[in-house]
Amino acid sequence: MNPYPVDPYWMVALKALLVVVGLLIAFAFMTLIERRLLARFQVRMGPNRVGPSGLLQPVADAIKSIFKEDLVVERADKVLFVLAPLIGVVFALLAFGVIPFGPPGSFFGYQPWVLNLDLGLLYLFAVSEMAIYGIFLAGWASGSKYSLLGSLRSSASLISYELGLGIALLSPVLLVGSLNLNDIVNWQKENGWLVLYAFPAFLLYAIAALAEAARTPFDLPEAEQELVGGYHTEYSSIKWALFQMTEYIHFITASALIPTLFLGGWTMPFLEVPYLWMFLKIAFFLFLFIWIRATWFRLRYDQLLRLGWGFLFPVALVWFLVTALVVALDLPRSYLLYLSLAAFLVLLGAILYSPKSARKAPKGLSKGGGA
Amino acid sequence: MTLKALAQSLGITLKYLFSKPVTVPYPDAPVALKPRFHGRHVLTRHPNGLEKCIGCSLCAAACPAYAIYVEPAENDPENPVSAGERYAKVYEINMLRCIFCGLCEEACPTGAIVLGYDFEMADYEYSDLIYGKEDMLVDVVGTKPQRREAKITGKPVKPGYVVPYVRPELEGFKAPTEGGKK
């Protein structure tokens, strides 16, 4: 039933440990990398005091957040208050295990993934969406208005983008005919990357992934200007750090999942080095998301809902139906290639097309005005 | 807001990613000061080595912060200290009171007191912030805490600034200039 080799249990345990430790280290250094990159985007230098060029900053941050005073709010629901960050981080960590990093047997003779589930993608989403419980329980258990508002926003935005996200992922799954991430990668190795077959789905998923990781254009659960700290307003010390950890691990998982689903995973035409390409692709998406954070603004709450229901959902649905039609009537798959190309051209056109501004700028002021 | 604008904005930020940060990493790199920066006072000398200060106390009179204390004394004609009849036996500036306005420099009839460039004067004791003649004459390099540290470590004073050129009023004062050591 499962065509992929299975590892002994001790090896699975070892790899699970490796993934968890790796993710935690990656989280620690992502905080530094993100701060440094954001600083450079803003023509600053960023943290460079601790250790050689700031490399030990994560260590300093870790020590600081562990030894800070750990407050539990008087009116908080004590059990849930402690449980919420744990739920968040545990489910965030669980998700990463199904992502393959190379061909079978490339991890010192073992498999370069922790779990190989036939329902890999479903498992991944089931588990990573559980983290919303962490967020929502945190807001509810804090006994604070701002926390509750932040978590409500989280839940509302989750509902609005999650449908689009889920349906966007259906079209690659339909094409491949499997939810197993290894199958998806192998299919892409044989037939070409799925982004060519499902460009709109790729785009929608990339947008929704930003929302899922609560990254900048959609970071309203913790909009500092409006909600103090969002759902973790009342959290301090290591519990706060756990929320940050959750968020960054979602961020890393999303950056690993986009290439796995749409950009061939660990495969690369012409030059195949299993781990290298996967890491490079992850790094590219991490950079892209930081770049977006440095550039774009936060959407308003209702704008995100409108984007989710009014754009992501219908477009994903249409593309899903098109893919379903192609698969059901057994039409040549190349139709999807042309349609993807058309979608890409539409996007390009939308980017290049600039409608005449409704508000006319006075003469002389039009140059150099808001780009 | 259009997609075009969003794409353009990405281009703009990417351009800035590859530009040099404007940050001045101050303690690691010197601050670029203007030639007329108002820093620690310098008591200049004539080219023949005599002090310009004649102990007239006009600077003390002009000082809005009452930071200057001058005690004049008669010059020994055989072995004069200054170019006039009198010289400043005691010349103290309380750096805690000084507001670095430069009025003393404007009031000085001989151009003896000039505001220099040193600004790193933070210290632990009030008494250490009263600078005497031995702390301000032209040949003194650095501020009191800087010189104290240099004495302990045995390394030369490292000023935290750089100027394009030293203005002529600071006759004989040596400051690190841009493009070329001291």
Side-chain angles (χ1 to χ4, degrees):
Chain A
M1 207 166 112
N2 195 337
Y4 298 97
V6 179
D7 279 340
Y9 284 123
W10 63 268
M11 194 63 207
V12 174
L14 193 69
K15 282 187 298 189
L17 188 72
L18 200 70
V19 163
V20 169
V21 171
L23 274 178
L24 294 186
I25 291 172
F27 148 71
F29 280 93
M30 271 317 289
T31 57
L32 175 68
I33 291 167
E34 175 155 27
R35 287 170 70 190
R36 289 291 295 234
L37 270 178
L38 281 179
R40 293 306 305 271
F41 273 117
Q42 295 158 4
V43 210
R44 295 184 286 118
M45 281 183 153
N48 61 357
R49 301 276 78 183
V50 192
S53 62
L55 275 179
L56 294 180
Q57 184 71 40
V59 181
D61 284 343
I63 293 171
K64 186 196 78 171
S65 51
I66 290 168
F67 288 104
K68 273 180 102 166
E69 187 184 0
D70 195 0
L71 285 170
V72 177
V73 189
E74 173 89 15
R75 289 174 59 191
D77 183 324
K78 302 280 185 306
V79 179
L80 285 182
F81 190 77
V82 178
L83 205 58
L86 295 177
I87 291 176
V89 80
V90 164
F91 283 106
L93 283 171
L94 278 178
F96 204 80
V98 286
I99 292 171
F101 272 77
S106 67
F107 184 74
F108 306 112
Y110 295 98
Q111 316 316 323
W113 55 77
V114 180
L115 289 169
N116 178 45
L117 296 173
D118 286 339
L119 291 174
L121 197 57
L122 196 63
Y123 161 83
L124 201 150
F125 278 95
V127 158
S128 63
E129 295 320 326
M130 281 296 280
I132 199 76
Y133 279 95
I135 290 174
F136 192 76
L137 287 178
W140 187 78
S142 292
S144 150
K145 288 187 204 92
Y146 290 117
S147 305
L148 193 62
L149 279 174
S151 62
L152 278 173
R153 278 182 172 206
S154 263
S155 313
S157 61
L158 175 93
I159 294 166
S160 63
Y161 68 72
E162 195 64 31
L163 271 173
L165 183 144
I167 293 173
L169 285 180
L170 282 181
S171 51
V173 168
L174 265 180
L175 272 176
V176 178
S178 168
L179 282 162
N180 188 322
L181 287 171
N182 280 304
D183 286 345
I184 292 176
V185 172
N186 286 333
W187 189 91
Q188 295 184 77
K189 200 176 170 186
E190 283 159 25
N191 300 308
W193 291 0
L194 270 165
V195 66
L196 301 172
Y197 292 91
F199 180 74
F202 164 72
L203 199 69
L204 296 178
Y205 180 66
I207 294 172
L210 282 173
E212 199 201 344
R215 302 284 307 173
T216 275
F218 314 115
D219 61 346
L220 27 94
E222 44 188 316
E224 275 156 26
Q225 294 85 345
E226 302 151 32
L227 290 173
V228 192
Y231 58 87
H232 55 59
T233 303
E234 304 297 343
Y235 281 87
S236 55
S237 180
I238 190 69
K239 294 204 204 88
W240 177 85
L242 285 178
F243 279 121
Q244 294 296 308
M245 209 182 275
T246 311
E247 211 167 277
Y248 272 93
I249 291 168
H250 274 300
F251 178 33
I252 295 167
T253 310
S255 304
L257 196 59
I258 297 175
T260 305
L261 284 175
F262 292 102
L263 299 178
W266 47 265
T267 66
M268 191 74 186
F270 312 122
L271 183 68
E272 198 156 287
V273 191
Y275 293 89
L276 177 78
W277 284 114
M278 190 62 190
F279 283 119
L280 282 181
K281 285 170 187 176
I282 294 176
F284 170 76
F285 277 97
L286 290 174
F287 173 77
L288 184 73
F289 288 169
I290 293 171
W291 183 14
I292 285 174
R293 175 169 175 194
T295 308
W296 292 348
F297 40 83
R298 177 186 308 129
L299 283 186
R300 218 168 49 211
Y301 179 54
D302 59 314
Q303 286 169 334
L304 171 60
L305 296 191
R306 188 176 301 157
L307 182 79
W309 288 106
F311 174 72
L312 292 184
F313 180 55
V315 175
L317 204 58
V318 166
W319 189 257
F320 164 63
L321 289 177
V322 167
T323 313
L325 206 66
V326 169
V327 173
L329 301 181
D330 211 15
L331 297 169
R333 303 292 189 260
S334 56
Y335 282 15
L336 285 174
L337 287 176
Y338 298 129
L339 283 171
S340 283
L341 187 68
F344 177 71
L345 290 177
V346 166
L347 176 75
L348 208 64
I351 288 173
L352 294 179
Y353 167 73
S354 67
K356 291 239 164 59
S357 180
R359 278 174 294 170
K360 275 216 168 141
K363 261 195 178 174
L365 282 177
S366 55
K367 257 193 179 175
Chain B
M1 186 200 85
T2 58
L3 277 179
K4 188 183 182 185
L6 284 178
Q8 275 177 340
S9 61
L10 281 176
I12 291 167
T13 45
L14 193 66
K15 195 179 78 195
Y16 278 102
L17 176 65
F18 295 107
S19 63
K20 200 171 167 285
V22 292
T23 314
V24 178
Y26 157 59
D28 300 337
V31 186
L33 296 180
K34 300 292 183 213
R36 291 194 286 175
F37 182 80
H38 280 181
R40 191 260 299 166
H41 313 67
V42 175
L43 289 170
T44 53
R45 291 177 190 274
H46 286 294
N48 62 4
L50 290 178
E51 288 176 15
K52 285 185 188 171
C53 180
I54 51 171
C56 67
S57 290
L58 276 178
C59 48
C63 184
Y66 304 115
I68 306 180
Y69 172 73
V70 188
E71 206 178 300
E74 296 288 330
N75 260 328
D76 177 5
E78 301 298 311
N79 196 11
V81 179
S82 79
E85 274 180 31
R86 300 199 294 176
Y87 72 101
K89 194 171 82 180
V90 177
Y91 192 104
E92 283 177 349
I93 296 183
N94 187 341
M95 292 299 175
L96 288 168
R97 301 206 63 154
C98 178
I99 58 171
F100 298 93
C101 61
L103 283 182
C104 46
E105 181 180 332
E106 285 187 37
C108 186
T110 60
I113 182 156
V114 186
L115 292 176
Y117 302 117
D118 287 320
F119 58 89
E120 294 152 304
M121 285 184 283
D123 217 330
Y124 294 98
E125 310 223 347
Y126 288 165
S127 56
D128 284 337
L129 278 140
I130 295 169
Y131 280 49
K133 273 177 86 171
E134 69 280 7
D135 302 312
M136 290 188 291
L137 279 170
V138 266
D139 13 73
V140 174
V141 178
T143 62
K144 262 192 188 179
Q146 281 179 321
R147 281 181 291 128
R148 192 187 310 130
E149 192 186 327
K151 207 170 147 192
I152 294 167
T153 60
K155 288 177 192 158
V157 169
K158 189 173 152 262
Y161 62 88
V162 65
V163 278
Y165 60 88
V166 179
R167 63 190 174 115
E169 288 86 347
L170 280 163
E171 197 176 339
F173 184 71
K174 288 189 180 62
T177 49
E178 282 160 21
K181 276 190 169 180
K182 298 215 160 176

